[in-house]
C-alpha cells in the first residue's frame, strides 16, 4: 500500500503537467527536467538509503521518507504561486528532494518482506509491492484528472501531501522492524 502511495506521488506530475505548463510557462525542456530530476535523485539515493535502512530500520527510515515526500508534494502546490522562473527552480529542487526521500521505498520493501514473510511467501509478497507502481497509476490517474479539472493542478500535490501525512500515522502505528 505504501509503495502505491509513493508511485501515486510520482504520477501527480504526469497528470498535472499540462495544466502546470500553461499556468507557469513550462516548456517541454523544463518539463523534461522536472520529470527526470526525481529519477536522478532517486538513483543517487539508493545506496545511502540502503545503508540507512540497515542501520536505523525500515520503520524509521521509510517513515521519515513518507513524511518528507508528503511535505515536498505539498510545497510543489504552493510553488505554483511563485513567478514562473522561480516556480520552475523551486519545483525542480523539490522533485530532487522527493527523489531522495523516496529512495528507501524499494530497499525498505525488500527488508520488510524478508522480516515479515516466510521464505516460501516472499516471491508473492515481492510481486505485490512491485505491482504497486501499476496499481498506483490505475487508482491515482483518474483521481488526479478529476482534481485538476475541478480544483486545479496545485490541488493534486496538496491532496498527495495530506494523504501522505495520514499514511504516516498508519505507518508508525502498524509497521514493526
Amino acid at each position: 500500500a505504501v509503495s502505491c502511495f509513493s508511485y501515486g506521488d510520482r504520477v501527480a506530475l504526469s497528470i498535472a503537467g499540462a495544466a502546470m505548463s500553461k499556468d507557469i510557462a513550462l516548456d517541454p525542456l523544463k518539463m523534461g527536467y522536472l520529470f527526470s530530476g526525481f529519477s536522478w535523485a532517486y538513483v543517487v539515493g539508493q545506496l545511502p538509503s540502503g545503508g540507512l535502512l540497515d542501520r536505523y530500520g525500515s520503520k524509521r527510515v521509510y517513515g521519515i521518507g513518507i513524511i518528507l515526500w508528503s511535505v515536498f508534494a505539498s510545497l510543489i502546490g504552493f510553488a505554483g504561486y511563485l513567478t514562473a522562473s522561480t516556480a520552475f527552480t523551486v519545483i525542480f529542487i523539490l522533485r530532487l528532494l522527493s527523489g531522495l526521500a523516496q529512495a528507501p521505498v524499494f530497499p525498505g520493501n525488500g527488508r520488510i518482506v524478508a522480516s515479515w514473510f516466510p521464505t516460501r511467501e516472499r516471491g508473492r509478497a515481492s510481486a505485490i509491492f512491485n505491482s504497486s507502481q501499476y496499481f498506483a497509476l490505475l487508482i491515482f490517474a483518474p483521481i488526479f484528472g478529476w482534481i485538476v479539472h475541478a480544483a486545479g493542478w496545485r490541488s493534486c500535490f496538496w491532496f498527495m501531501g495530506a494523504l501522505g501525512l495520514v499514511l504516516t500515522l498508519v505507518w508508525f502505528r502498524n509497521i514493526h522492524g
Side-chain angles (χ1 to χ4, degrees):
V2 179
S3 295
C4 187
F5 283 94
S6 166
Y7 280 105
D9 182 69
R10 300 171 204 189
V11 169
L13 182 62
S14 299
I15 304 301
M20 287 175 72
S21 295
K22 291 177 188 172
D23 193 34
I24 55 175
L26 298 173
D27 60 31
L29 179 63
K30 287 181 179 175
M31 286 303 295
Y33 279 113
L34 293 182
F35 283 118
S36 64
F38 174 93
S39 296
W40 298 342
Y42 188 82
V43 167
V44 167
Q46 287 292 291
L47 288 176
S49 69
L52 290 171
L53 287 159
D54 288 340
R55 182 168 184 170
Y56 298 107
S58 299
K59 180 176 183 171
R60 183 181 302 160
V61 174
Y62 206 142
I64 291 169
I66 299 168
I67 293 167
L68 291 173
W69 87 59
S70 300
V71 169
F72 299 146
S74 295
L75 291 174
I76 288 172
F78 289 109
Y81 292 113
L82 302 170
T83 63
S85 63
T86 304
F88 166 74
T89 302
V90 169
I91 293 170
F92 181 72
I93 291 167
L94 290 168
R95 292 289 293 170
L96 290 171
L97 293 171
S98 186
L100 289 173
Q102 291 188 43
V105 170
F106 262 64
N109 288 345
R111 289 190 84 233
I112 291 169
V113 166
S115 296
W116 284 30
F117 293 90
T119 305
R120 68 183 186 282
E121 296 177 13
R122 289 182 188 162
R124 186 175 340 159
S126 295
I128 290 170
F129 81 71
N130 281 329
S131 68
S132 65
Q133 60 189 309
Y134 303 105
F135 189 69
L137 187 58
L138 177 96
I139 295 297
F140 287 108
I143 293 169
F144 290 155
W146 177 79
I147 290 172
V148 169
H149 177 73
W153 68 267
R154 291 173 188 86
S155 297
C156 281
F157 296 99
W158 295 332
F159 173 77
M160 280 312 291
L163 201 57
L165 293 177
V166 170
L167 178 64
T168 302
L169 297 174
V170 174
W171 176 266
F172 281 111
R173 288 184 185 195
N174 294 296
I175 298 299
H176 307 285

